[in-house]
Amino acid sequence: MTIAVFPGSFDPLTNGHLDLIQRASKMFDHLIVAVGQNTSKRGVFTASERVAFIEAGVQDLPNVSVQVETGLTVDFMRSVNATVLVRGLRNSTDFEFEQGIAGMNRALDDQIDTVCLMAAPKYQFVSSSLLKEVAQFGGDLTRLVPPAVAEGLRERLERDK
């Protein structure tokens, strides 16, 4: 059985993330969405909120589970017996970044392979910082994030003003 991990901060979860999760779920026996913390960014949602958003989005995918991870992704992967790391690529900048991470992960554990999926063209421009900025000014995010995430972003950003 091939177990894959799709790690990320998912802060916020986007329809692009859900598209990648759906596509990756067809490639592996079990896909674990690993919710972590991006140490270089201030988060909007708690880990438990992000897990809830993802669980709602993957409820129809029986081979997908969601877990919180802390620490190194390779250590998490060992703990769940995963051998494949799934990453999404929007552009060449993402490729350069992911290439370095894949090399480091391989150096830390030579049993881990990284599989990169290209983002669907309609989501290639989406980034968490752009979404947060649009939400801050009341823009419509309904085509880019699940409805609960759009509402949560509006509420959180309004509260934090």
Side-chain angles (χ1 to χ4, degrees):
M1 176 156 108
T2 303
I3 300 171
V5 170
F6 181 35
S9 61
F10 305 103
D11 194 19
L13 174 70
T14 70
N15 290 340
H17 290 134
L18 289 174
D19 178 64
L20 291 169
I21 292 167
Q22 290 167 354
R23 290 166 44 208
S25 75
K26 296 174 187 172
M27 302 170 77
F28 305 103
D29 298 310
H30 186 201
L31 177 66
I32 300 169
V33 180
V35 176
Q37 183 64 42
N38 185 335
T39 56
S40 64
K41 295 181 183 176
R42 181 178 166 267
V44 174
F45 296 111
T46 67
S48 60
E49 288 171 319
R50 290 177 278 145
V51 166
F53 288 140
I54 298 166
E55 286 178 338
V58 303
Q59 63 188 352
D60 295 331
L61 301 173
N63 67 326
V64 176
S65 62
V66 186
Q67 295 184 37
V68 173
E69 75 158 312
T70 57
L72 292 174
T73 300
V74 293
D75 293 337
F76 175 79
M77 291 181 69
R78 279 190 212 105
S79 76
V80 296
N81 297 313
T83 56
V84 178
L85 180 66
V86 176
R87 298 299 292 163
L89 300 177
R90 296 169 296 179
N91 52 44
S92 60
T93 302
D94 282 355
F95 175 80
E96 302 255 337
F97 179 75
E98 294 299 338
Q99 185 179 31
I101 291 177
M104 179 58 76
N105 287 335
R106 188 74 174 181
L108 294 171
D109 186 334
D110 64 2
Q111 299 303 302
I112 292 176
D113 285 310
T114 300
V115 172
C116 294
L117 299 177
M118 294 303 303
K122 64 183 176 180
Y123 301 125
Q124 287 178 348
F125 66 93
V126 177
S127 70
S128 63
S129 56
L130 278 175
L131 289 174
K132 291 170 192 171
E133 186 169 347
V134 170
Q136 189 171 14
F137 291 101
D140 180 13
L141 298 176
T142 55
R143 292 186 329 213
L144 305 174
V145 300
V149 173
E151 182 60 30
L153 267 173
R154 274 192 295 276
E155 289 173 3
R156 189 65 44 91
L157 294 171
E158 185 65 33
R159 184 191 76 197
D160 293 346
K161 277 187 179 178

